[in-house]
Amino acid sequence: MHVGLMIYGSIETLTGGYLYDRKFCEFLASQGDRAEVISLPRRDHLLRALADNASPSLIRQVAGAPFDVLVQDELIHPSTVLLNRRLRSKARCPIVTIVHLLRSSERAVRLRRLSSSTERRYLAGVDGAVFNSETTRAAVESLLGRRLPGVVSYPGGDHLAADAADASEAKIAARARAQGALSVLSIANVLPGKGLHVLVDALGHLPAEGWRLTVVGSLTMNRAYAARLRGLIESTGLRDNVDLVGAVPNSRVADYLRDSHLLVVPSDYEALGIAYLEAMRFGLPVIATTAGGAGEIVGHGSEGFLVAPGDAAALTAHLRLLGEDRELLLRMGLAAQGRAARHPTWRESFEPARG
């Protein structure tokens, strides 16, 4: 089977969505299929993206390829919402979308009404979908007002399984019970929607000697926000407590997970959260938000905690509790590891999508 995959930018980009797309291509290759990536220039404005629909070269490139199936990362919907109608008469193959999250589900969306109507029209024009969570499926069907044929293929829980193989119960217990500051990790590109300013605010209400925060993720995707976050850290006197590492290769992520007590990513919205699964594999409890699908893998009070987006006071309370009660930290860590071990692998997740 020859599969075309349309995305924005490089598939090697270090985000959860691109990791999902890479794993999808790897799975297809393992089944003897051929996946061909068609990369569109990344657009920073909805109106510029809409102009792609009139591109003769893009139409020729896609329509001229002998694909059996054309798969599109849903985030490119502004560039293909009208183009797909033209492809119907030229390409004559099914169009399937991979939905990571709806743009219209995010809090900070410019031109919200136009964005929602564009996304709705795009989804109404595809033949089927691969959803990364039940929450995402529900959001799509709510926007459409009807069911969209498709399957839920969760991100695999085995991305860092080999690296986490030595995360034994004894090691998790030793880490939790060790004397010293609570080591908080956030694996997130430094973007407004990841809620890192809320996390810094929450930690700032705890004694400085009781915690350390490490943020692993790109500092260049939104330089203005990164500068704002640095300013907040400086103005609150937390420079010695917070380490903004920047982007690192996937091979190094495991090192940070081994050395941390818990993962906190208080996003405005997270369709599921691959970083949560990665952390849980290493026996780390997770603090996430109630906005999105994190609750599908993190039980509040079991594998971690769920807070409302922007609720710094709730974050402070949970962080204080886990810093003071290391046995609770341990129980939650072991529960998280068990939950991740039961989660489907990438192969198990993608098999229904291919079938």
Side-chain angles (χ1 to χ4, degrees):
M1 182 167 58
H2 187 186
V3 179
L5 173 62
M6 298 181 70
I7 63 171
Y8 278 145
S10 170
I11 199 168
E12 299 301 325
T13 303
L14 296 178
T15 70
Y18 283 103
L19 171 63
Y20 189 102
D21 291 348
R22 289 196 300 275
K23 289 295 183 180
F24 179 67
C25 290
E26 290 173 10
F27 168 75
L28 291 176
S30 74
Q31 303 302 299
D33 300 325
R34 177 186 172 195
E36 181 178 336
V37 176
I38 300 172
S39 175
L40 279 62
R42 193 184 303 276
R43 304 303 185 190
D44 58 1
H45 195 283
L46 175 60
L47 297 180
R48 292 192 182 95
L50 288 171
D52 287 332
N53 290 274
S55 169
S57 60
L58 180 58
I59 295 169
R60 286 195 300 270
Q61 179 184 9
V62 179
F67 297 132
D68 297 300
V69 181
L70 179 61
V71 179
Q72 297 172 341
D73 188 309
E74 197 271 345
L75 294 179
I76 72 165
H77 71 267
S79 296
T80 56
V81 59
L82 301 177
L83 179 137
N84 282 352
R85 298 177 63 187
R86 302 176 69 179
L87 289 176
R88 289 288 181 198
S89 61
K90 296 177 180 294
R92 300 186 184 278
C93 68
I95 299 174
V96 176
T97 184
I98 296 178
V99 191
H100 301 293
L101 81 164
L102 296 183
R103 281 295 182 207
S104 51
S105 296
E106 297 181 292
R107 294 172 68 184
V109 178
R110 291 178 291 179
L111 303 174
R112 178 174 293 278
R113 184 174 297 179
L114 177 59
S115 177
S116 295
S117 63
T118 301
E119 199 156 29
R120 184 183 302 109
R121 185 171 183 179
Y122 166 81
L123 291 165
V126 299
D127 297 297
V130 177
F131 310 98
N132 69 346
S133 68
E134 291 290 352
T135 300
T136 300
R137 184 206 285 268
V140 167
E141 295 182 351
S142 176
L143 180 66
L144 269 180
R146 64 171 175 83
R147 182 178 177 273
L148 178 63
V151 298
V152 172
S153 294
Y154 286 105
D158 57 332
H159 173 46
L160 296 178
D163 297 289
D166 63 346
S168 64
E169 181 174 340
K171 288 185 177 180
I172 295 170
R175 181 180 64 201
R177 291 168 175 159
Q179 297 293 317
L182 185 70
S183 179
V184 181
L185 177 65
S186 194
I187 300 176
N189 291 320
V190 180
L191 300 166
K194 296 300 182 180
L196 296 170
H197 56 289
V198 180
L199 177 55
V200 170
D201 181 23
L203 287 166
H205 288 83
L206 298 175
E209 66 275 9
W211 61 272
R212 295 292 182 273
L213 170 64
T214 302
V215 179
V216 175
S218 174
L219 294 164
T220 61
M221 288 186 174
N222 188 321
R223 296 179 188 276
Y225 177 71
R228 176 183 153 203
L229 185 65
R230 287 193 179 98
L232 175 63
I233 293 166
E234 291 287 339
S235 66
T236 50
L238 300 176
R239 182 197 298 178
D240 293 337
N241 287 71
V242 182
D243 184 9
L244 301 179
V245 175
V248 303
N250 283 324
S251 58
R252 286 190 55 202
V253 171
D255 296 331
Y256 289 100
L257 289 167
R258 289 190 189 94
D259 294 337
S260 301
H261 288 117
L262 75 157
L263 181 85
V264 186
V265 185
S267 302
D268 289 347
Y269 187 94
E270 205 71 63
L272 190 78
I274 293 177
Y276 303 147
L277 286 168
E278 292 174 342
M280 292 164 71
R281 271 278 180 178
F282 284 79
L284 273 65
V286 169
I287 300 181
T289 67
T290 54
E296 294 185 43
I297 54 174
V298 179
H300 182 70
S302 177
E303 293 87 12
F305 294 109
L306 300 173
V307 302
D311 193 343
L315 266 179
T316 299
H318 294 316
L319 288 162
R320 178 180 287 112
L321 176 62
L322 291 174
E324 294 175 351
D325 189 343
R326 295 303 179 94
E327 293 304 310
L328 174 62
L329 179 72
L330 171 58
R331 289 195 300 274
M332 284 189 163
L334 293 175
Q337 187 181 52
R339 183 76 171 265
R342 298 189 299 272
H343 191 81
T345 64
W346 288 104
R347 184 185 183 90
E348 291 167 342
S349 285
F350 285 138
E351 280 176 342
R354 184 177 182 274

